[in-house]
mmCIF file of all heavy atoms in Angstrom:
data_model
loop_
_atom_site.group_PDB
_atom_site.id
_atom_site.type_symbol
_atom_site.label_atom_id
_atom_site.label_comp_id
_atom_site.label_asym_id
_atom_site.label_seq_id
_atom_site.Cartn_x
_atom_site.Cartn_y
_atom_site.Cartn_z
ATOM 1 N N ASN H 1 199.501 130.119 108.809
ATOM 2 C CA ASN H 1 198.975 128.755 108.707
ATOM 3 C C ASN H 1 200.060 127.692 108.771
ATOM 4 O O ASN H 1 199.893 126.607 108.221
ATOM 5 C CB ASN H 1 198.193 128.598 107.392
ATOM 6 C CG ASN H 1 196.937 129.446 107.363
ATOM 7 O OD1 ASN H 1 196.114 129.383 108.279
ATOM 8 N ND2 ASN H 1 196.799 130.269 106.341
ATOM 9 N N SER H 2 201.163 127.984 109.466
ATOM 10 C CA SER H 2 202.230 126.983 109.519
ATOM 11 C C SER H 2 203.045 127.113 110.798
ATOM 12 O O SER H 2 203.079 128.168 111.441
ATOM 13 C CB SER H 2 203.148 127.129 108.303
ATOM 14 O OG SER H 2 203.776 128.400 108.304
ATOM 15 N N PHE H 3 203.684 126.009 111.151
ATOM 16 C CA PHE H 3 204.641 125.990 112.243
ATOM 17 C C PHE H 3 205.977 126.534 111.727
ATOM 18 O O PHE H 3 206.248 126.478 110.531
ATOM 19 C CB PHE H 3 204.841 124.562 112.751
ATOM 20 C CG PHE H 3 203.618 123.958 113.382
ATOM 21 C CD1 PHE H 3 202.658 123.314 112.608
ATOM 22 C CD2 PHE H 3 203.424 124.035 114.754
ATOM 23 C CE1 PHE H 3 201.533 122.751 113.189
ATOM 24 C CE2 PHE H 3 202.303 123.482 115.345
ATOM 25 C CZ PHE H 3 201.352 122.841 114.563
ATOM 26 N N SER H 4 206.796 127.031 112.645
ATOM 27 C CA SER H 4 208.077 127.611 112.231
ATOM 28 C C SER H 4 209.176 127.132 113.175
ATOM 29 O O SER H 4 209.131 127.396 114.380
ATOM 30 C CB SER H 4 208.005 129.138 112.253
ATOM 31 O OG SER H 4 206.951 129.601 111.423
ATOM 32 N N MET H 5 210.154 126.438 112.619
ATOM 33 C CA MET H 5 211.298 125.933 113.370
ATOM 34 C C MET H 5 212.572 126.266 112.610
ATOM 35 O O MET H 5 212.558 126.413 111.398
ATOM 36 C CB MET H 5 211.195 124.413 113.546
ATOM 37 C CG MET H 5 210.030 123.948 114.390
ATOM 38 S SD MET H 5 209.687 122.173 114.206
ATOM 39 C CE MET H 5 208.500 122.204 112.839
ATOM 40 N N PHE H 6 213.672 126.388 113.346
ATOM 41 C CA PHE H 6 214.960 126.561 112.688
ATOM 42 C C PHE H 6 216.042 125.874 113.501
ATOM 43 O O PHE H 6 215.920 125.695 114.719
ATOM 44 C CB PHE H 6 215.288 128.036 112.462
ATOM 45 C CG PHE H 6 215.503 128.847 113.715
ATOM 46 C CD1 PHE H 6 216.773 129.075 114.207
ATOM 47 C CD2 PHE H 6 214.409 129.400 114.389
ATOM 48 C CE1 PHE H 6 216.971 129.838 115.357
ATOM 49 C CE2 PHE H 6 214.601 130.166 115.529
ATOM 50 C CZ PHE H 6 215.882 130.384 116.014
ATOM 51 N N ASP H 7 217.083 125.452 112.806
ATOM 52 C CA ASP H 7 218.194 124.736 113.436
ATOM 53 C C ASP H 7 219.346 125.682 113.734
ATOM 54 O O ASP H 7 219.634 126.609 112.969
ATOM 55 C CB ASP H 7 218.688 123.611 112.523
ATOM 56 C CG ASP H 7 217.684 122.480 112.406
ATOM 57 O OD1 ASP H 7 217.257 121.963 113.454
ATOM 58 O OD2 ASP H 7 217.330 122.112 111.266
ATOM 59 N N THR H 8 220.007 125.448 114.860
ATOM 60 C CA THR H 8 221.258 126.109 115.207
ATOM 61 C C THR H 8 222.259 125.007 115.539
ATOM 62 O O THR H 8 221.870 123.842 115.694
ATOM 63 C CB THR H 8 221.088 127.032 116.437
ATOM 64 O OG1 THR H 8 220.995 126.225 117.618
ATOM 65 C CG2 THR H 8 219.861 127.915 116.305
ATOM 66 N N PRO H 9 223.544 125.327 115.682
ATOM 67 C CA PRO H 9 224.502 124.301 116.102
ATOM 68 C C PRO H 9 224.234 123.805 117.522
ATOM 69 O O PRO H 9 224.789 122.782 117.936
ATOM 70 C CB PRO H 9 225.855 125.033 116.038
ATOM 71 C CG PRO H 9 225.625 126.200 115.156
ATOM 72 C CD PRO H 9 224.205 126.600 115.372
ATOM 73 N N TYR H 10 223.380 124.513 118.255
ATOM 74 C CA TYR H 10 223.128 124.189 119.654
ATOM 75 C C TYR H 10 221.894 123.308 119.811
ATOM 76 O O TYR H 10 221.940 122.277 120.476
ATOM 77 C CB TYR H 10 222.956 125.478 120.462
ATOM 78 C CG TYR H 10 223.901 126.567 120.032
ATOM 79 C CD1 TYR H 10 223.435 127.715 119.377
ATOM 80 C CD2 TYR H 10 225.275 126.441 120.230
ATOM 81 C CE1 TYR H 10 224.305 128.708 118.963
ATOM 82 C CE2 TYR H 10 226.149 127.433 119.812
ATOM 83 C CZ TYR H 10 225.658 128.569 119.165
ATOM 84 O OH TYR H 10 226.518 129.543 118.739
ATOM 85 N N CYS H 11 220.795 123.709 119.189
ATOM 86 C CA CYS H 11 219.553 122.950 119.275
ATOM 87 C C CYS H 11 218.576 123.473 118.245
ATOM 88 O O CYS H 11 218.806 124.503 117.616
ATOM 89 C CB CYS H 11 218.942 123.040 120.678
ATOM 90 S SG CYS H 11 218.304 124.677 121.118
ATOM 91 N N LYS H 12 217.480 122.744 118.089
ATOM 92 C CA LYS H 12 216.390 123.211 117.225
ATOM 93 C C LYS H 12 215.478 124.124 118.049
ATOM 94 O O LYS H 12 215.212 123.862 119.220
ATOM 95 C CB LYS H 12 215.592 122.027 116.666
ATOM 96 C CG LYS H 12 214.432 122.432 115.754
ATOM 97 C CD LYS H 12 213.709 121.233 115.180
ATOM 98 C CE LYS H 12 214.495 120.621 114.038
ATOM 99 N NZ LYS H 12 213.686 119.597 113.309
ATOM 100 N N VAL H 13 214.987 125.203 117.422
ATOM 101 C CA VAL H 13 214.174 126.207 118.099
ATOM 102 C C VAL H 13 212.813 126.301 117.425
ATOM 103 O O VAL H 13 212.714 126.330 116.187
ATOM 104 C CB VAL H 13 214.875 127.583 118.065
ATOM 105 C CG1 VAL H 13 214.035 128.633 118.798
ATOM 106 C CG2 VAL H 13 216.279 127.494 118.666
ATOM 107 N N GLY H 14 211.751 126.363 118.224
ATOM 108 C CA GLY H 14 210.402 126.555 117.720
ATOM 109 C C GLY H 14 209.907 127.950 118.037
ATOM 110 O O GLY H 14 210.234 128.513 119.093
ATOM 111 N N LEU H 15 209.104 128.518 117.134
ATOM 112 C CA LEU H 15 208.644 129.896 117.271
ATOM 113 C C LEU H 15 207.131 129.998 117.419
ATOM 114 O O LEU H 15 206.373 129.297 116.744
ATOM 115 C CB LEU H 15 209.038 130.717 116.037
ATOM 116 C CG LEU H 15 210.516 130.998 115.791
ATOM 117 C CD1 LEU H 15 210.669 131.707 114.450
ATOM 118 C CD2 LEU H 15 211.089 131.841 116.911
ATOM 119 N N GLY H 16 206.717 130.903 118.295
ATOM 120 C CA GLY H 16 205.326 131.331 118.379
ATOM 121 C C GLY H 16 205.324 132.815 118.655
ATOM 122 O O GLY H 16 206.364 133.398 118.979
ATOM 123 N N ILE H 17 204.169 133.448 118.544
ATOM 124 C CA ILE H 17 204.052 134.872 118.855
ATOM 125 C C ILE H 17 202.912 135.071 119.844
ATOM 126 O O ILE H 17 201.762 134.736 119.539
ATOM 127 C CB ILE H 17 203.805 135.719 117.590
ATOM 128 C CG1 ILE H 17 204.975 135.600 116.609
ATOM 129 C CG2 ILE H 17 203.584 137.187 117.959
ATOM 130 C CD1 ILE H 17 204.760 136.332 115.287
ATOM 131 N N CYS H 18 203.241 135.552 121.017
ATOM 132 C CA CYS H 18 202.294 136.028 122.020
ATOM 133 C C CYS H 18 201.137 135.050 122.270
ATOM 134 O O CYS H 18 201.306 134.050 122.957
ATOM 135 C CB CYS H 18 201.794 137.412 121.622
ATOM 136 S SG CYS H 18 201.091 138.355 123.011
ATOM 137 N N TYR H 19 199.979 135.298 121.697
ATOM 138 C CA TYR H 19 198.773 134.501 121.946
ATOM 139 C C TYR H 19 198.975 133.031 121.575
ATOM 140 O O TYR H 19 198.295 132.156 122.121
ATOM 141 C CB TYR H 19 197.624 135.110 121.143
ATOM 142 C CG TYR H 19 196.229 134.739 121.575
ATOM 143 C CD1 TYR H 19 195.832 134.789 122.906
ATOM 144 C CD2 TYR H 19 195.270 134.367 120.633
ATOM 145 C CE1 TYR H 19 194.548 134.474 123.295
ATOM 146 C CE2 TYR H 19 193.973 134.049 121.007
ATOM 147 C CZ TYR H 19 193.618 134.099 122.344
ATOM 148 O OH TYR H 19 192.333 133.789 122.722
ATOM 149 N N ASP H 20 199.927 132.737 120.689
ATOM 150 C CA ASP H 20 200.224 131.350 120.329
ATOM 151 C C ASP H 20 200.579 130.510 121.550
ATOM 152 O O ASP H 20 200.363 129.291 121.556
ATOM 153 C CB ASP H 20 201.392 131.276 119.333
ATOM 154 C CG ASP H 20 201.025 131.723 117.924
ATOM 155 O OD1 ASP H 20 199.826 131.735 117.579
ATOM 156 O OD2 ASP H 20 201.957 132.064 117.157
ATOM 157 N N ILE H 21 201.138 131.128 122.600
ATOM 158 C CA ILE H 21 201.585 130.365 123.764
ATOM 159 C C ILE H 21 200.419 129.732 124.515
ATOM 160 O O ILE H 21 200.598 128.764 125.261
ATOM 161 C CB ILE H 21 202.424 131.252 124.715
ATOM 162 C CG1 ILE H 21 203.272 130.389 125.649
ATOM 163 C CG2 ILE H 21 201.555 132.224 125.487
ATOM 164 C CD1 ILE H 21 204.271 131.163 126.490
ATOM 165 N N ARG H 22 199.216 130.251 124.331
ATOM 166 C CA ARG H 22 198.057 129.696 125.037
ATOM 167 C C ARG H 22 197.604 128.352 124.455
ATOM 168 O O ARG H 22 196.777 127.663 125.073
ATOM 169 C CB ARG H 22 196.884 130.678 124.997
ATOM 170 C CG ARG H 22 197.089 131.906 125.876
ATOM 171 C CD ARG H 22 195.834 132.749 125.950
ATOM 172 N NE ARG H 22 196.009 133.926 126.794
ATOM 173 C CZ ARG H 22 195.807 133.955 128.109
ATOM 174 N NH1 ARG H 22 195.408 132.855 128.733
ATOM 175 N NH2 ARG H 22 195.995 135.072 128.786
ATOM 176 N N PHE H 23 198.128 127.978 123.319
ATOM 177 C CA PHE H 23 197.655 126.775 122.628
ATOM 178 C C PHE H 23 198.710 125.679 122.793
ATOM 179 O O PHE H 23 199.717 125.621 122.084
ATOM 180 C CB PHE H 23 197.343 127.102 121.170
ATOM 181 C CG PHE H 23 196.239 128.127 121.062
ATOM 182 C CD1 PHE H 23 196.530 129.491 121.117
ATOM 183 C CD2 PHE H 23 194.912 127.734 120.988
ATOM 184 C CE1 PHE H 23 195.516 130.446 121.076
ATOM 185 C CE2 PHE H 23 193.891 128.681 120.943
ATOM 186 C CZ PHE H 23 194.192 130.029 120.995
ATOM 187 N N ALA H 24 198.429 124.791 123.759
ATOM 188 C CA ALA H 24 199.403 123.778 124.165
ATOM 189 C C ALA H 24 199.758 122.833 123.024
ATOM 190 O O ALA H 24 200.883 122.317 122.961
ATOM 191 C CB ALA H 24 198.855 122.984 125.349
ATOM 192 N N GLU H 25 198.805 122.595 122.117
ATOM 193 C CA GLU H 25 199.056 121.657 121.020
ATOM 194 C C GLU H 25 200.219 122.119 120.145
ATOM 195 O O GLU H 25 201.004 121.299 119.643
ATOM 196 C CB GLU H 25 197.797 121.491 120.162
ATOM 197 C CG GLU H 25 196.594 120.912 120.899
ATOM 198 C CD GLU H 25 195.760 121.966 121.617
ATOM 199 O OE1 GLU H 25 196.204 123.115 121.731
ATOM 200 O OE2 GLU H 25 194.657 121.612 122.088
ATOM 201 N N MET H 26 200.331 123.412 119.950
ATOM 202 C CA MET H 26 201.399 123.954 119.114
ATOM 203 C C MET H 26 202.769 123.641 119.727
ATOM 204 O O MET H 26 203.688 123.190 119.040
ATOM 205 C CB MET H 26 201.207 125.461 118.964
ATOM 206 C CG MET H 26 202.096 126.123 117.935
ATOM 207 S SD MET H 26 201.584 127.852 117.696
ATOM 208 C CE MET H 26 202.739 128.332 116.432
ATOM 209 N N ALA H 27 202.883 123.862 121.033
ATOM 210 C CA ALA H 27 204.137 123.561 121.719
ATOM 211 C C ALA H 27 204.432 122.059 121.694
ATOM 212 O O ALA H 27 205.591 121.640 121.568
ATOM 213 C CB ALA H 27 204.076 124.069 123.157
ATOM 214 N N GLN H 28 203.400 121.234 121.798
ATOM 215 C CA GLN H 28 203.599 119.781 121.767
ATOM 216 C C GLN H 28 204.139 119.330 120.418
ATOM 217 O O GLN H 28 205.012 118.459 120.348
ATOM 218 C CB GLN H 28 202.290 119.073 122.088
ATOM 219 C CG GLN H 28 201.868 119.194 123.545
ATOM 220 C CD GLN H 28 200.511 118.586 123.807
ATOM 221 O OE1 GLN H 28 200.167 117.535 123.269
ATOM 222 N NE2 GLN H 28 199.726 119.237 124.647
ATOM 223 N N VAL H 29 203.639 119.922 119.351
ATOM 224 C CA VAL H 29 204.167 119.591 118.028
ATOM 225 C C VAL H 29 205.646 119.954 117.951
ATOM 226 O O VAL H 29 206.471 119.171 117.461
ATOM 227 C CB VAL H 29 203.372 120.307 116.920
ATOM 228 C CG1 VAL H 29 204.113 120.243 115.585
ATOM 229 C CG2 VAL H 29 201.989 119.696 116.779
ATOM 230 N N TYR H 30 206.000 121.132 118.440
ATOM 231 C CA TYR H 30 207.410 121.527 118.420
ATOM 232 C C TYR H 30 208.266 120.531 119.204
ATOM 233 O O TYR H 30 209.367 120.170 118.786
ATOM 234 C CB TYR H 30 207.572 122.933 118.997
ATOM 235 C CG TYR H 30 207.170 124.038 118.060
ATOM 236 C CD1 TYR H 30 206.512 125.175 118.517
ATOM 237 C CD2 TYR H 30 207.462 123.976 116.695
ATOM 238 C CE1 TYR H 30 206.149 126.215 117.662
ATOM 239 C CE2 TYR H 30 207.101 125.002 115.829
ATOM 240 C CZ TYR H 30 206.447 126.107 116.324
ATOM 241 O OH TYR H 30 206.094 127.123 115.466
ATOM 242 N N GLY H 31 207.763 120.093 120.351
ATOM 243 C CA GLY H 31 208.491 119.100 121.137
ATOM 244 C C GLY H 31 208.668 117.794 120.380
ATOM 245 O O GLY H 31 209.755 117.203 120.383
ATOM 246 N N GLN H 32 207.611 117.348 119.715
ATOM 247 C CA GLN H 32 207.684 116.114 118.923
ATOM 248 C C GLN H 32 208.695 116.221 117.796
ATOM 249 O O GLN H 32 209.324 115.236 117.405
ATOM 250 C CB GLN H 32 206.307 115.784 118.347
ATOM 251 C CG GLN H 32 205.276 115.338 119.361
ATOM 252 C CD GLN H 32 203.896 115.169 118.742
ATOM 253 O OE1 GLN H 32 203.707 115.360 117.541
ATOM 254 N NE2 GLN H 32 202.925 114.821 119.559
ATOM 255 N N LYS H 33 208.859 117.416 117.261
ATOM 256 C CA LYS H 33 209.772 117.642 116.135
ATOM 257 C C LYS H 33 211.215 117.896 116.587
ATOM 258 O O LYS H 33 212.071 118.207 115.762
ATOM 259 C CB LYS H 33 209.272 118.809 115.284
ATOM 260 C CG LYS H 33 207.918 118.563 114.612
ATOM 261 C CD LYS H 33 207.992 117.411 113.629
ATOM 262 C CE LYS H 33 206.657 117.183 112.947
ATOM 263 N NZ LYS H 33 206.700 116.037 111.987
ATOM 264 N N GLY H 34 211.467 117.780 117.878
ATOM 265 C CA GLY H 34 212.838 117.872 118.365
ATOM 266 C C GLY H 34 213.281 119.221 118.870
ATOM 267 O O GLY H 34 214.463 119.416 119.169
ATOM 268 N N CYS H 35 212.363 120.190 119.017
ATOM 269 C CA CYS H 35 212.755 121.497 119.546
ATOM 270 C C CYS H 35 213.070 121.388 121.042
ATOM 271 O O CYS H 35 212.352 120.728 121.795
ATOM 272 C CB CYS H 35 211.635 122.517 119.344
ATOM 273 S SG CYS H 35 211.294 122.886 117.604
ATOM 274 N N GLN H 36 214.132 122.048 121.451
ATOM 275 C CA GLN H 36 214.517 122.073 122.862
ATOM 276 C C GLN H 36 214.386 123.472 123.465
ATOM 277 O O GLN H 36 214.497 123.639 124.669
ATOM 278 C CB GLN H 36 215.951 121.564 123.018
ATOM 279 C CG GLN H 36 216.087 120.086 122.634
ATOM 280 C CD GLN H 36 217.530 119.601 122.716
ATOM 281 O OE1 GLN H 36 218.415 120.161 122.071
ATOM 282 N NE2 GLN H 36 217.754 118.576 123.502
ATOM 283 N N LEU H 37 214.125 124.442 122.624
ATOM 284 C CA LEU H 37 213.901 125.821 123.059
ATOM 285 C C LEU H 37 212.730 126.379 122.258
ATOM 286 O O LEU H 37 212.704 126.268 121.029
ATOM 287 C CB LEU H 37 215.150 126.670 122.815
ATOM 288 C CG LEU H 37 215.014 128.195 122.963
ATOM 289 C CD1 LEU H 37 214.660 128.582 124.392
ATOM 290 C CD2 LEU H 37 216.308 128.891 122.527
ATOM 291 N N LEU H 38 211.755 126.948 122.967
ATOM 292 C CA LEU H 38 210.630 127.629 122.327
ATOM 293 C C LEU H 38 210.728 129.109 122.669
ATOM 294 O O LEU H 38 210.913 129.464 123.837
ATOM 295 C CB LEU H 38 209.283 127.077 122.819
ATOM 296 C CG LEU H 38 209.072 125.560 122.705
ATOM 297 C CD1 LEU H 38 207.657 125.199 123.151
ATOM 298 C CD2 LEU H 38 209.328 125.066 121.294
ATOM 299 N N ILE H 39 210.626 129.962 121.662
ATOM 300 C CA ILE H 39 210.717 131.404 121.873
ATOM 301 C C ILE H 39 209.422 132.060 121.405
ATOM 302 O O ILE H 39 208.978 131.852 120.273
ATOM 303 C CB ILE H 39 211.919 132.002 121.130
ATOM 304 C CG1 ILE H 39 213.217 131.404 121.692
ATOM 305 C CG2 ILE H 39 211.932 133.527 121.258
ATOM 306 C CD1 ILE H 39 214.481 131.959 121.062
ATOM 307 N N TYR H 40 208.835 132.838 122.314
ATOM 308 C CA TYR H 40 207.581 133.540 122.037
ATOM 309 C C TYR H 40 207.777 135.041 122.259
ATOM 310 O O TYR H 40 207.676 135.519 123.393
ATOM 311 C CB TYR H 40 206.468 133.070 122.973
ATOM 312 C CG TYR H 40 206.039 131.630 122.838
ATOM 313 C CD1 TYR H 40 206.656 130.632 123.583
ATOM 314 C CD2 TYR H 40 204.989 131.263 121.998
ATOM 315 C CE1 TYR H 40 206.249 129.308 123.488
ATOM 316 C CE2 TYR H 40 204.567 129.947 121.897
ATOM 317 C CZ TYR H 40 205.205 128.966 122.646
ATOM 318 O OH TYR H 40 204.793 127.654 122.550
ATOM 319 N N PRO H 41 208.081 135.826 121.223
ATOM 320 C CA PRO H 41 207.950 137.267 121.373
ATOM 321 C C PRO H 41 206.487 137.573 121.691
ATOM 322 O O PRO H 41 205.579 136.997 121.066
ATOM 323 C CB PRO H 41 208.345 137.808 119.999
ATOM 324 C CG PRO H 41 209.111 136.694 119.345
ATOM 325 C CD PRO H 41 208.517 135.438 119.861
ATOM 326 N N GLY H 42 206.235 138.422 122.677
ATOM 327 C CA GLY H 42 204.847 138.646 123.064
ATOM 328 C C GLY H 42 204.651 139.983 123.743
ATOM 329 O O GLY H 42 205.607 140.602 124.220
#
């Protein structure tokens, strides 16, 4: 029930898992929060 982001010295990263990638709103929130890389294990 939550978004997951973490900071690195390079950029902020947003996380999803597999089916999460189908939901564009989730990725848009990550973009708004400053993520420059999204990683989806799937």
